[in-house]
Amino acid sequence: MSSVAGAPPALAEDDRPRGRSARSGAPRRSDRARQEARLGMLLCAPAVLVLVAVVGYPILQAVWDSLFSYRLTNPDAREFNGLANYALILTDPIWWQALGVTVLITAITVAIELVLGFGLALVMNHALKTLRPALRTAILIPYAIITVVSAFAFLYMFDLTSGFVNSWLPFVADGKDWFATFGSAVSVIILSEIWKTTPFISLLLLSGLAQVPGDLAEAAKVDGATAWQRLWRVTIPNMKAAIMVALLFRTLDAFRIFDNIFIMTNGAAGTESVAFLAYRQTIQRLEIGVGSAVSVLLTILVALIALLFVKGFKVNLAASTRGGR
Amino acid sequence: MRRRAALLATVALVAPLAACASAEAGPPTLTWYINPDSGGQARIAQQCTEESGGDYRIETALLPRDAPGQREQLVRRLAANDASIDIMSLDPPYIPEFANAGFLAPIPQDVQQAVTQDVAEGAIAGATFRDELVTVPFWANTQLLWYRKSVAEAAGLDMTQPVTWDQLVEAAAGQGKTVAVQGVRAESLMVWVNALVESAGGHVLEDSEADEGEDVTPDLDSDAGRRAAEVVRTLADADVGGPQLANANEDINASMFENDDSAGFMVNWPFVWPRANAAVEAGTLDPSVVEDYGWALYPQVDEGQESRPPYGGINLGVGAFSEHVDLAFEAVQCIVDPARQAEYFVTDGNPPSSLVAFDDPEVQEAFPMADVIRESLQNAAPRPQTQFYNEVSSSVQRTWHPPRGVGPDTSPREADELIAAVLSGEALL
């Protein structure tokens, strides 16, 4: 995901002027332009083919499997049952509970990460040139850590036998078991998510910040705007596109939360998410049919979120980093 | 120039293949998928390779740490007809599922006879599915009641006689100590619940051999099931399960029991004994702690009714898709040799399924409670032997957790309803 975040700005900047002139300058494309376009398609083709093979094929397979009653250890009894799996899932309170937990975790983590990430991006942006590389590295370290590893770190931190949190926090009883009740368990899960992925969002916001022209802020300053006014009236409106892209990526990511829950509670205390539900049906129960249906529903939800952002909030992915221009 | 480059490229591509081919020569390699232990299975693999006189070579491959994880990995591979699985270490409750799916090679009659001689009843029952021996018992586990002699004495409990759960809870509450049990929402909770229900004279399932999910009849909402729920609730309400009861697993229990301030009683597998002794040797535990350890048969639910302790352990299955089934059975017989089981008990703390292995003097010396373990194994009750075990266990875990929320009038009924609904495809899990 970080590579996606890093790559588009450079690419987009390179080909935009060319693309525009080709389109607006010449109504009928020249041979050369056509050849270039063909070469472009050919160069893309291997990547597209690989993508279709590794993403498209499994999705179609999952959609197909979701229409069957199919248990991996009993393949002979596999039979077509139409949309029965979907009906089962959508009428089961467990699905709605998992969906509620997922939405709750997504909303809280993304909201807090946006504020924190923006603060960190401002710090990185305003830091002295000599400090900047070190600061960026320091802020990015949590993101470089594998989620399972960070989940274990938080588990051991809050664990009653190995943890130190209870003895550090004066208002918490020494015998508090954080993973015993929903409220405290989900708080630790959310905390670990925030710690781990705030750097990602701050990196995206930093690239947005860098695009805000300095002269605008300077002009506002000369006109007597306070720092707070400059932030709200100049900086943020000029990087709206970057903010929306950061929000979109993080929301999609947060919605698929699995690792932290798997390691810390294994779904106990009502902390199951939608992705965890899919895991339980497919991998634990080996019910390929029902599990695929849960996965397909999760995919549809993720696609809906993307659609909502792109259409609803008019996020232009290609223009994300040129918000101010 | 071009030609030479092509030639070089060919050599570069083919050379590693040739190396592979030469490695294949020699005795056939049997892959044994093992559960993590303290190195005992790898050592046995080595010994049997040497003893085979060049007939085969056993290589071990490590499975995940917990039993459900081991099952997941093996099932995924076997469902894809993985021929690399020659021998596998299997947790008993999942054996029916593997047998029913045709993942296990049938055991030849002569081997069946050889590997059931002088083997604990519970272990043979756990290795059998539909009256057919489908796996080979390797080591057999059971839980004991561990107690601190000082606490039992102060509470006035006569530990030479069988004790009940109610007595333990009362004694612990009176002394301000704990009764360590596995309250975590995991397989170990199911182990506890099953032992309680069986000890109360009931069963989790009425008929566990049903072919179809909808024919499985759960029987927790019975006198025995409600009595079991009562025991769980009483223990939770008396606050003797420790602060971490809802997340306590075997390891947490073992450390609770090593702690002088809170330790009173505990139900746990025998690994706690070598664990405590190792801690003493390492200097992290005072020797007086281990001297205070006492052991007895698993507690009774109702006074006078013999308890049915949990049964666990590892059985060996031979993969149905293995290319060396005959050699694999030869190797399995070498692995389960009683002398090797005794050695494995001493080094890794996993009790033998072979009853004669308990007579080994080294075993008697390292495990003063060996005879209690042997007796416990004979009384042990396996968990429901159904191909739908995973669903049954997960349903019980969902409805009997946390221990504080368990109620005799709710949990057994909810468990029955959930098991029935899940197995007839009417609910998610």
Side-chain angles (χ1 to χ4, degrees):
Chain A
M1 199 122 229
S2 59
S3 64
V4 174
L11 274 180
E13 209 126 351
D14 270 3
D15 44 58
R16 196 186 178 204
R18 226 188 302 148
R20 183 181 268 173
S21 66
R23 236 174 298 156
S24 55
R28 221 201 62 139
R29 287 196 295 179
S30 67
D31 281 355
R32 192 198 153 99
R34 247 182 299 156
Q35 255 177 3
E36 244 177 47
R38 231 188 75 188
L39 180 68
M41 297 242 270
L42 277 176
L43 288 176
C44 285
V48 171
L49 282 179
V50 169
L51 213 65
V52 167
V54 301
V55 178
Y57 168 71
I59 289 181
L60 289 179
Q61 174 84 47
V63 172
W64 177 246
D65 281 340
S66 74
L67 303 175
F68 288 82
S69 156
Y70 174 27
R71 192 183 170 89
L72 193 62
T73 47
N74 195 3
D76 299 336
R78 174 182 149 131
E79 61 179 31
F80 185 80
N81 66 358
L83 296 175
N85 288 335
Y86 293 95
L88 164 69
I89 295 164
L90 294 174
T91 51
D92 197 310
I94 291 179
W95 158 263
W96 296 105
Q97 196 201 334
L99 186 63
V101 171
T102 312
V103 170
L104 178 83
I105 294 178
T106 307
I108 297 181
T109 51
V110 174
I112 296 179
E113 282 173 21
L114 184 66
V115 176
L116 272 183
F118 194 73
L120 288 177
L122 282 176
V123 169
M124 287 194 275
N125 198 36
H126 289 292
L128 292 174
K129 263 229 167 81
T130 46
L131 263 180
R132 231 181 261 175
L135 200 62
R136 267 184 215 188
T137 315
I139 290 177
L140 273 176
I141 283 175
Y143 193 60
I145 290 174
I146 298 160
T147 315
V148 171
V149 175
S150 87
F152 269 116
F154 274 79
L155 172 68
Y156 293 142
M157 259 158 64
F158 283 85
D159 187 80
L160 201 51
T161 28
S162 63
F164 54 81
V165 172
N166 285 359
S167 54
W168 277 20
L169 295 181
F171 50 89
V172 170
D174 276 350
K176 173 152 182 70
D177 183 0
W178 287 83
F179 301 106
T181 55
F182 175 75
S184 55
V186 95
S187 304
V188 178
I189 290 168
I190 287 175
L191 191 67
S192 140
E193 277 284 297
I194 292 173
W195 179 81
K196 164 90 174 61
T197 45
T198 300
F200 168 70
I201 221 165
S202 74
L203 199 67
L204 284 188
L205 293 177
L206 178 64
S207 71
L209 266 182
Q211 307 292 330
V212 179
D215 39 0
L216 278 184
E218 238 162 71
K221 198 175 179 181
V222 169
D223 288 343
T226 62
W228 188 246
Q229 284 171 325
R230 270 178 279 143
L231 176 68
W232 280 100
R233 299 282 169 81
V234 178
T235 312
I236 291 182
N238 274 303
M239 54 179 293
K240 186 180 154 243
I243 293 175
M244 293 319 284
V245 167
L247 274 184
L248 171 63
F249 282 169
R250 243 327 271 161
T251 310
L252 295 182
D253 206 25
F255 206 77
R256 297 177 292 119
I257 179 169
F258 175 79
D259 325 37
N260 274 316
I261 297 172
F262 181 70
I263 301 293
M264 288 195 231
T265 63
N266 200 11
T271 52
E272 259 170 33
S273 68
V274 173
F276 195 91
L277 199 63
Y279 159 78
R280 201 186 266 294
Q281 311 308 319
T282 319
I283 310 289
Q284 282 194 334
R285 293 188 56 201
L286 307 167
E287 289 286 354
I288 307 295
V290 180
S292 299
V294 176
S295 310
V296 169
L297 286 175
L298 177 60
T299 312
I300 293 174
L301 285 174
V302 167
L304 280 179
I305 294 175
L307 198 73
L308 180 81
F309 270 90
V310 174
K311 296 281 177 203
F313 299 122
K314 309 223 165 12
V315 177
N316 182 354
L317 287 173
S320 65
T321 51
R322 285 184 307 276
R325 294 200 177 166
Chain B
M1 190 66 205
R2 215 180 211 183
R3 223 187 203 167
R4 225 167 92 193
L7 194 74
L8 274 176
T10 316
V11 169
L13 275 175
V14 172
L17 290 178
C20 270
S22 68
E24 282 293 314
T29 302
L30 301 174
T31 311
W32 177 16
Y33 281 77
I34 58 168
N35 58 307
D37 61 4
S38 310
Q41 291 177 99
R43 198 191 52 243
I44 293 175
Q46 178 103 41
Q47 290 171 352
C48 286
T49 300
E50 282 160 18
E51 262 178 43
S52 79
D55 284 352
Y56 54 79
R57 204 159 55 86
I58 308 178
E59 261 177 21
T60 54
L62 200 61
L63 289 168
R65 206 168 58 90
D66 62 341
Q70 293 159 16
R71 161 185 170 266
E72 278 163 28
Q73 189 170 119
L74 286 173
V75 165
R76 280 210 303 270
R77 283 172 171 272
L78 288 165
N81 296 1
D82 186 345
S84 82
I85 300 183
D86 297 302
I87 306 169
M88 51 198 143
S89 292
L90 279 175
D91 206 30
Y94 301 116
I95 287 170
E97 181 178 48
F98 279 61
N100 189 65
F103 291 164
L104 301 172
I107 307 180
Q109 279 303 325
D110 56 319
V111 178
Q112 288 198 21
Q113 239 160 22
V115 298
T116 47
Q117 207 133 46
D118 298 320
V119 170
E121 294 286 328
I124 296 179
T128 308
F129 180 60
R130 294 200 178 122
D131 301 324
E132 184 79 26
L133 191 79
V134 290
T135 54
V136 175
F138 173 33
W139 58 276
N141 217 353
T142 185
Q143 289 195 358
L144 299 183
L145 165 63
W146 302 84
Y147 61 92
R148 289 301 197 91
K149 292 176 192 161
S150 55
V151 176
E153 198 178 326
L157 274 183
D158 176 11
M159 298 306 288
T160 57
Q161 297 301 314
V163 290
T164 64
W165 282 98
D166 291 339
Q167 284 175 309
L168 292 182
V169 169
E170 200 182 313
Q175 301 294 314
K177 303 290 184 183
T178 55
V179 180
V181 291
Q182 291 91 49
V184 63
R185 200 178 98 169
E187 184 53 33
S188 33
L189 177 64
M190 175 64 185
V191 170
W192 186 32
V193 172
N194 187 65
L196 289 177
V197 174
E198 293 278 342
S199 298
H203 303 287
V204 172
L205 298 186
E206 210 170 84
D207 169 24
S208 54
E209 297 208 338
D211 273 327
E212 299 290 331
E214 50 260 40
D215 298 336
V216 173
T217 26
D219 195 22
L220 277 163
D221 197 12
S222 58
D223 288 343
R226 283 187 289 271
R227 186 72 188 92
E230 231 169 69
V231 171
V232 175
R233 183 57 182 268
T234 313
L235 189 145
D237 281 350
D239 251 339
V240 292
Q244 217 175 348
L245 176 61
N247 279 308
N249 58 22
E250 291 90 337
D251 286 321
I252 290 174
N253 291 151
S255 15
M256 280 166 72
F257 198 69
E258 284 165 10
N259 177 352
D260 265 338
D261 296 334
S262 63
F265 307 91
M266 163 174 78
V267 286
N268 214 331
W269 313 98
F271 82 96
V272 298
W273 180 251
R275 178 187 147 123
N277 281 303
V280 169
E281 247 168 65
T284 52
L285 196 66
D286 196 87
S288 67
V289 172
V290 180
E291 282 158 23
D292 198 26
Y293 272 35
W295 46 83
L297 284 177
Y298 202 74
Q300 299 180 344
V301 168
D302 292 309
E303 203 177 337
Q305 187 165 3
E306 215 173 50
S307 66
R308 306 292 313 272
Y311 161 71
I314 286 291
N315 287 8
L316 299 178
V318 170
F321 313 104
S322 159
E323 283 160 8
H324 312 285
V325 172
D326 294 343
L327 285 178
F329 277 116
E330 241 174 74
V332 164
Q333 290 182 76
C334 168
I335 294 168
V336 300
D337 175 71
R340 248 182 279 282
Q341 289 189 26
E343 192 190 345
Y344 187 55
F345 189 21
V346 173
T347 56
D348 288 56
N350 295 325
S353 61
S354 157
L355 294 172
V356 289
F358 281 96
D359 295 329
D360 189 295
E362 266 185 69
V363 165
Q364 290 286 342
E365 197 197 320
F367 289 88
M369 70 293 299
D371 290 333
V372 182
I373 295 175
R374 174 158 51 183
E375 192 185 342
S376 180
L377 273 179
Q378 295 285 56
N379 298 342
R383 284 157 268 171
Q385 283 171 295
T386 163
Q387 50 169 318
F388 304 105
Y389 179 73
N390 175 62
E391 270 87 350
V392 173
S393 172
S394 304
S395 302
V396 171
Q397 291 170 36
R398 188 184 280 279
T399 45
W400 287 60
H401 189 269
R404 230 171 251 289
V406 170
D409 300 322
T410 50
S411 307
R413 182 174 44 79
E414 284 168 13
D416 277 7
E417 286 167 4
L418 186 59
I419 293 171
V422 165
L423 288 184
S424 48
E426 286 158 13
L428 296 172
L429 201 55

